[in-house]
Amino acid sequence: DSAGGRSVPALRSGGRALLCTMVGAAGRAAWTALWLAALGGTFVRREGVHAFKAEEFKKCEQARFCKENRQREPAFNYHVLGVPQLDTTTAEFTVASDDDALFSLFVSGYSTGVVRVRMIEREKKRYEVQEVLSAHLQGYLVPITEKRAGSNETLVKFGQGPTVQIGHRPLIVNVFNGETMLMSLNSQGLFKYQQLLDAPSEGTVWEEKFRSHTDPMKHGPAYISFDLTFIGANNVYGIPERATSLALKPTAGEGIESEPYRLYNLDVFEYLDESPFGLYGSIPYMLSHSAKATTGVFWLNAAEMFVDVYAPDAASNIKTQWISETGVLDLFMFPGPSPQSVFHQYSLVTGTTPLPPMFSIGYHQCRWNYKDQADVKQVDSGFDEHNIPYDVLWLDIEHTDGKRYMTWDAKVFPTPKEMIENISAKGRKMVTIVDPHMKRDSKFPMHQEATSKGYYVKTTDGKDFDGWCWPGSSSYLDVLNPEIREWWAGKFALDQYKGSTEDLYIWNDMNEPSVFNGPEVTMPKNNLHYPGVEHREVHNLYGYFYHMATRDGLYKRSGGSKRPFVLSRAFFAGTQRIGPIWTGDNAANWEHLRVSIPMLLTLGLTGLPWSGADVGGFFGNPSPELLTRWYQLGSFYPFFRGHAHLDTKRREPWLCGEPYTSHIRDAIRLRYAYLPYLYTLFHETSVNGSPIIRPMWVEYPEDEGSFTVQTQMLIGKDLLLAPVLHEGARMKEIYLPPDSAWFEIPGGRKFATKKGLSSRVTIPVDLGSVPLFQRAGSIVVTRERPRRSTAAMASDPFTIIVALAEDEEGGNASGRLYLDDGSSYGYEQGRSSLRDLRFFRGVLSSTGGHGYELDDLAIEKIVILGLPGLPASIELQKGHRGPISPLSAEMGPIRLRPGVASTAVVIRKPGVLVCEDWTITLQ
């Protein structure tokens, strides 16, 4: 009955089943729950009870490689043999262990100060992660500029960057900035590089069991463990993905009992809001921060991993231990010293986020599932009827023909092309879901072709792996193979994906990969991938490559003329080059609303700035108040989507009724008003890897009070959002860093702190409050006219909001505005414009590039905060020698809303275009 009347026979031995395929919209969750229950699991969900069950997933003590290394006593068992070879750019060492295993250690440096430490076995080759590092990385190698090799240590300096000290007996690697040590590898004696073995010794069993699954471990243990100490650090951050605090809590040390942080991509049902357990994606990258410096370390390794964090010692050093099941030691160490320099250093190694299509940073409306074309039409019309903007409408798995992806259920979606064209006629787009599990159906042409070409992941006996997911019996493309990715990309051509158009984009879910009857709901570790590597070696890469192949498909579909958009749930380092991710199956409760902030801030810190959480929570039914508060926060997520589970009540933005509909409308409109600012931030991150949303400490690195703040966030450096996060709140406390001033938007009230002193201010809030502040000293550009989509805004004029910082010259401020066509790659050929806006000594100016001209795009309003009153006169001059003409101003509100005070000087219709140079002088 729970499966909509379709029967689900009991599982047979070995994890196999005779299952009636469930193709209706009767219950993805029920289907999963029945499966996992039949497998001996306990994922049966009850309303109001978390479905996550810890016993379904491994802990450290159940993974031998983690247990053995976490309990191991320190020992310095590795040392350098002979004389190192110091060529132009690399220092090479021979390293031996006490049991006579030999390794090669390579130390090299890159521009901006990045240090790479790579160590491999001499006799046997292991898999090394491919296609994650930037294609340009080798071009950034810098020469060794200073070197000194002695009997006990070797010192090398790369370019103008840090100095690296390699201790010989024992092997220890230290990174210095001048005389200051930043990081130390193996100073605690936890380094262990288990060499590959041919066969187990007598009496030794390699296989490992977890619940009903057995991992034969054909090649035996191959783990790597090391300690990395951050010197002089207050806190460490990073290693997503998990729902936990922004600053990572200690998991090991005296008096601490905790699981280590785990990095292993898994399909986790309704995850806990506070846990070190890993979720859908993994980036083995950690940053440390103190008032003196920011540093970071990235381990290029895609195998299962555990990381322990120790509390700072008396000298403010934070020890960490990293343990991986297999792979090689390939570390990138980022010396900073500033947060922005670390972001840039990491982006040099793994790349940046390319500019997104403009529609994709608007609002997305999704549900599992919109049931038919009439439903799609009604939802689309509902936004227009209620004057709520949106850009993209999504379809989940029920739109397909029996979970055969890239097909349509003709009974409910008989004319999909016409449906998409009706949506796109309004300037909007659609998205369909395409998951990696391929239905094993002899009548499904795509499956037939993949089978005949041998394109599926294999079992150890060379057969196509057969696992269970939404379609029932399924196989999985081996996307580690470039040939298979090329084939898959071709399937998105319009003549292949029938019923699609160039206005249809893609959503990759379940790509961890999720396998309902597999160990920990994923693929067995001994499955085989191209080129003959075990799944254990590449697990965290699978979703990355599937995401990449899908993105490539949309790129090729347009002939390389349009920017693709593909959302993914699984991710790895480098995913930022492909597309956005979201935080998966969250729940409709206040805890998940709150934890979304540190989750997304962490992703931004670790190089993945384009991310979001499902607004409203995927599981459960949010109260109208919670839903409203989530839209108010979500309107500033880099990726902004509302999504809900099949079993939840419908929750399109207008369904709660008043006053909630009006407040949600205001929140979504606020997103659209700030799109020029957000798009400029996307340009910034495409250049230097900066997060779009940021913790307070990123812009105020010396303010120790900001290091653990996670209930508010910066959007860029100029906007501060302090959302209401608790039910029934009537007051909101906001943390302001020292020596800063902020103007409340839209009220205009100024809040300032003194030099060296932070402040916590409390303001009253009601249901419609979105506590938003603009930094004094900034200029932010908006578009204030409410429209129904980004396409409808394309010709709208701009508003410039100037928030003055006090000085002896009458105030100062600066900002930028980036412009291009929002859809093509013309910006790569210079067809873009970057405007510099500045207020200094009473003169507001606009200068910049002219690669992208918008002849008729005007500035309709200039709002200036921080002036003592109306200027005596205002004069406009276009260009450098243009005629001077007078302008008028009045006192008015920042934004036209009922009850907003007139606190700003407002210049209406100044008669200037956004892409021309001009100055406005205030006397």
Side-chain angles (χ1 to χ4, degrees), residues 91-165:
E92 181 179 351
F93 303 81
T94 297
V95 174
S97 65
D98 287 350
D99 54 4
D100 297 325
L102 294 178
F103 304 85
S104 293
L105 173 68
F106 305 91
V107 181
S108 51
Y110 299 84
S111 60
T112 74
V114 177
V115 172
R116 186 177 189 178
V117 178
R118 176 172 167 264
M119 183 168 161
I120 59 175
E121 285 192 69
R122 280 278 179 90
E123 296 183 359
K124 296 187 177 180
K125 184 174 177 58
R126 299 187 184 211
Y127 174 79
E128 296 190 52
V129 170
Q130 304 295 310
E131 299 184 69
V132 165
L133 301 180
S134 168
H136 307 292
L137 183 60
Q138 285 300 106
Y140 295 119
L141 278 168
V142 295
I144 296 175
T145 53
E146 297 179 24
K147 53 189 176 183
R148 185 175 76 232
S151 58
N152 296 322
E153 66 178 23
T154 297
L155 294 174
V156 289
K157 182 178 177 66
F158 297 97
Q160 300 302 310
T163 299
V164 183
Q165 177 191 47

Side-chain angles (χ1 to χ4, degrees), residues 29-42:
W31 203 89
T32 309
L34 287 168
W35 263 105
L36 293 171
L39 287 162
T42 53

Side-chain angles (χ1 to χ4, degrees), residues 785-859:
R785 298 185 181 183
R787 301 296 191 188
R788 66 185 182 188
S789 67
T790 55
M793 299 170 62
S795 299
D796 282 352
F798 294 86
T799 292
I800 297 175
I801 304 175
V802 182
L804 294 178
E806 293 182 6
D807 63 16
E808 296 180 355
E809 306 289 343
N812 68 85
S814 62
R816 280 186 158 187
L817 173 65
Y818 174 81
L819 298 163
D820 62 25
D821 64 19
S823 62
S824 77
Y825 288 94
Y827 66 89
E828 294 181 346
Q829 286 75 48
R831 293 196 293 275
S832 64
S833 182
L834 184 60
R835 308 299 302 173
D836 285 303
L837 301 166
R838 189 183 185 205
F839 189 102
F840 183 64
R841 293 183 176 177
V843 178
L844 176 64
S845 63
S846 173
T847 59
H850 299 275
Y852 179 65
E853 296 290 351
L854 294 171
D855 294 336
D856 58 349
L857 206 55
I859 305 296

Side-chain angles (χ1 to χ4, degrees), residues 419-478:
M419 173 186 65
I420 299 167
E421 289 172 344
N422 289 337
I423 296 291
S424 62
K426 297 182 179 182
R428 293 166 176 156
K429 315 293 182 184
M430 290 195 72
V431 164
T432 53
I433 194 168
V434 178
D435 290 348
H437 43 267
M438 190 89 74
K439 184 180 178 70
R440 294 183 59 84
D441 179 355
S442 60
K443 296 180 181 180
F444 183 23
M446 196 180 299
H447 166 66
Q448 287 179 310
E449 185 179 358
T451 301
S452 66
K453 292 178 179 289
Y455 280 174
Y456 287 132
V457 175
K458 307 298 182 190
T459 60
T460 53
D461 58 4
K463 297 179 180 178
D464 291 344
F465 172 66
D466 182 351
W468 289 86
C469 210
W470 299 131
S473 179
S474 304
S475 286
Y476 296 73
L477 293 173
D478 185 6

Side-chain angles (χ1 to χ4, degrees), residues 649-705:
K649 298 175 183 177
R650 293 288 287 257
R651 61 167 94 139
E652 285 70 41
W654 55 88
L655 290 181
C656 288
E658 295 296 348
Y660 307 102
T661 297
S662 292
H663 296 318
I664 292 172
R665 179 192 298 114
D666 288 345
I668 297 175
R669 283 183 174 180
L670 190 62
R671 166 64 164 225
Y672 280 78
Y674 278 100
L675 283 179
Y677 178 69
L678 286 171
Y679 194 61
T680 301
L681 291 177
F682 270 98
H683 169 260
E684 180 184 341
T685 193
S686 75
V687 174
N688 59 26
S690 296
I692 292 170
I693 58 173
R694 306 168 186 179
M696 299 297 295
W697 62 261
V698 166
E699 297 297 334
Y700 300 90
E702 296 180 6
D703 173 31
E704 295 188 3

Side-chain angles (χ1 to χ4, degrees), residues 50 52 54 242-244 268-275 277 279 592 595 599:
H50 276 295
F52 177 77
R242 64 201 78 255
T244 189
V268 185
F269 229 50
E270 200 170 357
Y271 50 83
L272 299 176
D273 59 85
E274 178 53 59
S275 172
F277 185 80
L279 299 177
H592 273 220
V595 81
M599 289 181 77

